[in-house]
């Protein structure tokens, strides 16, 4: 099991770093080709639309097939898309519709990979070590989100955007190779119709108060956070020192995430989910630092504290899913969870401009921070969120209710 986890962690770290190269390469390629913000926004919108369209289907296939097969297929598609992007800009043949298509294909394939990876984890991580493993992956992902764009910026500046896309394609090849070497196997039963299996996944969600309430709270949270993420970028550029300040803030967020993951490695509260919701209450401090005292040092401290709480919560949430959801349904439940996040965030992004224009940036940020606080605090009113205990090596794995077994054929 542990050798499989090391393979997964290595492949994913390389893939996460590669994604940072593509983020930089895409922005530089579009702008230098004369596309501007409008074209870049359209490409990003196509990516989000593909995620929304594919998420639930990705969850079904993650539960139908061996998870690593889905992951390999996803990596293969994303490798091809990244390679074609490199070829597109290497030849100076800027073609916006084709770029939008490639971005959508890549993001859609990623929507199949993520539920499959979630479904795979319980197969390769012993029950008693899930929290540590999730914290380790969160730490690696957080570090990659800082290292990837930094290395990507240097590479793209030196060799051009096609080099960034090429590195990302190579990272998918590394991830695919790691997945092919995984030995874990899931038990899969007969299939039913797509709608039936989607419905069975939703019943897994709705039958647990902590899960249904958590997804509702996360939806509200992501709307508010979508507003915040737009406004704080504007404030950082216009009032806190420009691009260099934005870079320092991103680094502070990465540092906070690393601290949160390290805390999750060390501390193992029995009521892990309750502890996670409590640490998420730190995130409003990050948003409010832009309002008062609105100084760079305060924002940096707020970013460290807030993101430490966010990543600790992420570890707690992922561990709760793996502990409490039958492995045969975990991909579908994960896809429902992913869908609510991607529905809510763009809505918040779209609301940021009109709300700030009407009411002012500081009042909107304050209100959004209050929504973050309420979204997290409200979960402590749900009995399941308060009482859910962390599984141990002696805890029996949960089994699906009989009606779900009948619906999925598992």
């Amino acid at each position: 099991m542990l050798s499989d986890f090391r393979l997964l962690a290595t492949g994913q770290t390389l893939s996460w770093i590669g994604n940072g190269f593509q983020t930089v390469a895409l922005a530089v390629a579009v702008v230098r080709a004369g596309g501007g913000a409008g074209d870049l926004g359209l490409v990003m919108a196509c990516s989000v639309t593909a995620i929304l369209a594919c998420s639930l289907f990705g969850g079904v296939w993650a539960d139908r097939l061996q998870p690593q097969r889905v992951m390999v297929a996803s990596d293969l598609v994303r490798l091809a898309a990244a390679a074609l992007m490199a070829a597109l800009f290497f030849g100076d043949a800027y073609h916006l519709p084709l770029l939008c298509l490639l971005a959508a294909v890549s993001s859609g394939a990623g929507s199949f990979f993520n539920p499959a990876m979630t479904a795979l984890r319980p197969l390769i991580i012993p029950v008693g070590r899930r929290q540590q493993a999730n914290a380790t992956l969160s730490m690696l992902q957080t570090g990659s989100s800082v290292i990837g764009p930094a290395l990507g910026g240097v590479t793209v500046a030196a060799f051009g955007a096609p080099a960034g896309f090429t590195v990302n394609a190579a990272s998918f090849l590394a991830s695919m190779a790691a997945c092919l070497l995984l030995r874990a196997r899931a038990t899969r039963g007969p299939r039913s119709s797509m709608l039936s299996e989607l419905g069975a996944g939703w019943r897994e969600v709705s039958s647990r108060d902590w899960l249904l309430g958590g997804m509702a709270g996360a939806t509200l949270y992501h709307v508010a956070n979508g507003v915040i993420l737009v406004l704080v970028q504007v404030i950082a550029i216009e009032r806190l020192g420009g691009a260099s300040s934005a870079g320092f803030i991103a680094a502070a967020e990465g540092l906070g995430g690393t601290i949160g993951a390290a805390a999750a490695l060390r501390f193992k509260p029995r009521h892990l989910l309750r502890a996670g919701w409590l640490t998420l209450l730190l995130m409003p401090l990050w948003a409010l630092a832009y309002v008062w005292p609105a100084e760079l040092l305060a924002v940096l401290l707020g970013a460290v504290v807030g993101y430490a709480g966010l990543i600790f919560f992420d570890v707690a949430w992922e561990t709760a899913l793996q502990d409490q959801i039958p492995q045969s349904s975990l991909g579908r439940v994960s896809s429902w969870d992913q869908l609510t996040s991607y529905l809510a965030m763009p809505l918040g992004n779209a609301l940021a401009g009109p709300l700030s224009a009407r009411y002012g940036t500081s009042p909107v940020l304050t209100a959004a921070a209050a929504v973050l606080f309420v979204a997290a605090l409200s979960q402590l009113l749900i009995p399941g969120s308060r009482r859910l205990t962390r599984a141990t090596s002696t805890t029996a794995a949960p089994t699906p209710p009989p009606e779900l077994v009948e619906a999925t054929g598992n």
Side-chain angles (χ1 to χ4, degrees):
M1 285 187 180
L2 292 180
S3 61
D4 276 355
F5 176 74
R6 293 188 190 99
L7 280 170
L8 177 67
T10 301
Q12 276 306 286
T13 300
L14 294 173
S15 180
W16 288 326
I17 291 174
N19 286 340
F21 278 74
Q22 177 148 320
T23 298
V24 175
L26 182 61
V28 170
V30 171
V31 172
R32 287 185 177 175
D39 283 10
L40 184 59
L42 182 59
V43 173
M44 295 172 67
C46 289
S47 295
V48 173
T49 300
I51 291 170
L52 294 176
C54 296
S55 289
L56 295 181
F57 300 106
V60 170
W61 282 104
D63 289 337
R64 282 181 169 182
L65 304 177
Q66 295 299 324
Q68 53 267 52
R69 290 186 182 179
V70 179
M71 295 163 71
V72 167
S74 172
D75 277 336
L76 184 60
V77 171
R78 292 187 291 177
L79 185 159
L84 287 171
M85 288 183 190
L88 179 66
F89 287 102
F90 183 78
D92 293 325
Y94 179 62
H95 190 269
L96 181 60
L98 178 57
L99 183 61
C100 288
L101 175 62
L102 292 174
V105 168
S106 181
S107 295
S111 293
F112 283 75
F113 187 97
N114 293 330
M117 180 175 170
T118 299
L120 175 70
R121 290 188 200 181
L123 299 174
I124 64 175
I125 304 169
V127 174
R129 305 189 67 169
R130 285 175 184 167
Q131 182 182 335
Q132 290 174 291
N134 290 328
T136 299
L137 289 173
S138 290
M139 187 178 295
L140 292 171
Q141 186 172 16
T142 301
S144 299
S145 70
V146 176
I147 295 171
L151 293 177
V154 173
T155 301
V156 170
F159 303 105
F165 293 120
T166 301
V167 171
N168 193 37
S171 76
F172 288 130
L173 181 61
S175 174
M176 185 169 62
C179 291
L180 286 169
L181 294 174
L182 295 174
R183 295 172 295 176
R185 293 294 181 268
T187 301
R188 294 294 184 244
R191 301 174 187 173
S192 57
S193 69
M194 180 70 69
L195 288 178
S196 176
E197 293 186 27
L198 282 173
W202 176 250
R203 287 193 291 276
E204 288 284 4
V205 173
S206 61
S207 65
R208 295 166 172 83
D209 63 347
W210 63 270
L211 183 52
L212 185 61
M215 287 173 58
T219 300
L220 181 63
Y221 178 95
H222 283 300
V223 172
N225 202 36
V227 172
I228 292 170
L229 288 173
V230 172
L231 297 184
V232 297
Q233 292 292 331
V234 175
I235 293 174
I237 298 299
E238 293 182 351
R239 306 179 193 175
L240 297 180
S244 61
S245 294
F248 286 130
I249 293 169
E253 293 168 356
L255 175 61
T258 301
I259 293 172
L265 272 172
R266 181 177 179 84
F267 300 107
K268 299 180 180 180
R270 183 168 180 264
H271 297 286
L272 179 60
L273 186 58
R274 181 169 65 190
W277 285 114
L278 286 171
T279 60
L280 195 58
L281 293 173
L282 297 172
M283 272 297 280
L285 297 177
W286 160 71
L288 290 173
Y290 286 89
V291 179
W292 185 89
E295 300 288 343
L296 180 59
L297 180 59
V299 169
L300 293 175
L301 291 174
V304 171
V305 172
Y307 274 79
L310 174 65
I311 297 303
F312 188 95
F313 167 78
D314 284 344
V315 172
W317 182 257
E318 289 295 326
T319 304
L321 289 179
Q322 293 162 26
D323 284 348
Q324 303 298 323
I325 306 300
Q327 197 280 329
S328 59
S329 302
L330 191 51
R332 281 165 288 174
V333 170
S334 173
S335 68
W336 280 108
D337 186 26
Q338 177 177 278
L339 180 65
T340 58
S341 299
Y342 278 102
L343 277 172
M345 188 74 77
L347 175 60
N349 295 156
L351 290 173
L355 288 176
S356 61
R358 182 177 179 85
Y359 299 107
T361 301
S362 292
V364 171
L365 266 181
T366 302
V371 173
L372 296 186
F373 188 85
V374 170
L377 186 64
S378 64
Q379 301 306 306
L380 300 177
L381 301 176
I382 299 173
S385 297
R386 295 196 310 270
R387 299 170 186 169
L388 196 71
T389 57
R390 182 171 53 85
T392 65
S393 57
T394 58
T395 305
T399 56
E403 64 272 15
L404 295 179
V405 175
E406 181 179 352
T408 61
N410 292 332

